[in-house]
Amino acid sequence: MDFGVVLQTNPPAARTVQLAKLAEAHGFSHVWTFDSHLLWQEPYVIHSAILAETNRVTVGPFVTNPATRDWTVTASVFATLNEMYGNRTVCGIGRGDSAVRVTNGKPTTIAELRQSIHVIRELANSRPVEYNGATLQFPWSRGSELEVWVAAYGPMALKLAGEVGDGFILQLADVDIAAWMIKTVKDAAAAAGRDPESLAFCVAAPMYIGQDWQHMRDQCRWFGGMVGNHVADIVAKYGHHSAGSQAGAGSEDGAIPGALTDYIEGRKGYDYNTHGRAENDHVDFVPDEIVERFCILGTADEHIAKLEQLRALGVTQFAGYLQHDNKEETMRVYGETVIPALSAHVTAKA
């Protein structure tokens, strides 16, 4: 299993670069950043600085979208970074959340997301692509390599991830829900004639090493609010799953599990000015149980136990959000204890 960190690009930018360097020093393989250009600093500028000051980590947005950025420009960014730093980028992409909602926009359609993935991937892999009636190719790009990982929750987006994604990003660490979603993606990949095991499966959630459970829950409650934005869209389209159903199972029509949808009943709106922040003051509707299920909290042993469960489901990377007050210590314990424990387990089985 690989390990990544997910950072917000808050000023000063040097602090984001510092955390990325520390992540590499502690053995993390990936550094991801939020991508909402109005809420935080421009990520791709900072990605260049991170790549310049590190040697090994792969860097990418978590996640970008096809609405606020021209697809050909996005591809050019990755192809340029790859030429400069040696194919150390990855593109996480979804339909759009905070980047589009903060301007009262809407997420893109599944069809638009599918087309954007194709255009970005072909161009950023130094290949020609048909786009708007023209054949496009970067004449200056040679040997660029880029994987595109698709962030998804709803049934149609999960199907798309399996059909066209190089990887699947699930932004929550609930074991039951992860099992259902990973199976859905793998089934879609198989139905499309792809090898399901060739995809990367990335689970992302706040990681907090500590023992004060109330404090850890309060520091990470924002995550349930963030996930709730996506869930609200799904509920609007597919309706609530039967509350009496098994938490980890999808409904007969393939809709989302009840464990993911039921908790948003108390949601009364959302202010993107505190999106993804521990001090978010309007996520009281998120119960303690959801925080504990969606995040990975507690001692190193508790983290290892949950990560073992996720890996058994086919998760190939865990990306930990660090939007809390214990960033350095959490990364230190991961570097000294959690990552080696998961690596030792793989070695022992090999």
Side-chain angles (χ1 to χ4, degrees), residues 119-144:
V119 170
I120 292 168
R121 181 162 48 206
E122 294 308 294
L123 288 175
N125 279 277
S126 303
R127 296 191 292 259
V129 68
E130 297 295 318
Y131 179 62
N132 282 347
T135 300
L136 305 179
Q137 185 170 12
F138 298 137
W140 46 266
S141 179
R142 299 286 187 278
S144 177

Side-chain angles (χ1 to χ4, degrees), residues 6 39 54-55 60 136 157 182 197 207 240 242 251 276 296 301 339:
V6 185
L39 298 177
T54 56
N55 300 303
L136 305 179
I182 289 170
E197 303 306 318
M207 58 178 180
H240 278 276
S242 172
S251 65
I296 302 187
D301 287 342
I339 294 175

Side-chain angles (χ1 to χ4, degrees), residues 240-246 258 262:
H240 278 276
H241 182 75
S242 172
S245 300
Q246 190 175 10
D262 293 345

Side-chain angles (χ1 to χ4, degrees), residues 204-272:
M207 58 178 180
Y208 196 118
I209 294 287
Q211 299 185 45
D212 184 339
W213 277 86
Q214 189 57 52
H215 182 73
M216 290 188 293
R217 286 191 294 260
D218 288 343
Q219 283 286 300
C220 298
R221 200 174 305 276
W222 64 267
F223 185 67
M226 186 184 83
V227 173
N229 296 326
H230 301 283
V231 173
D233 283 346
I234 294 167
V235 169
K237 183 170 184 178
Y238 296 99
H240 278 276
H241 182 75
S242 172
S245 300
Q246 190 175 10
S251 65
E252 293 181 0
D253 63 359
I256 282 297
L260 183 57
T261 61
D262 293 345
Y263 82 96
I264 67 163
E265 290 286 356
R267 186 175 182 267
K268 294 181 174 65
Y270 194 83
D271 179 4
Y272 277 93

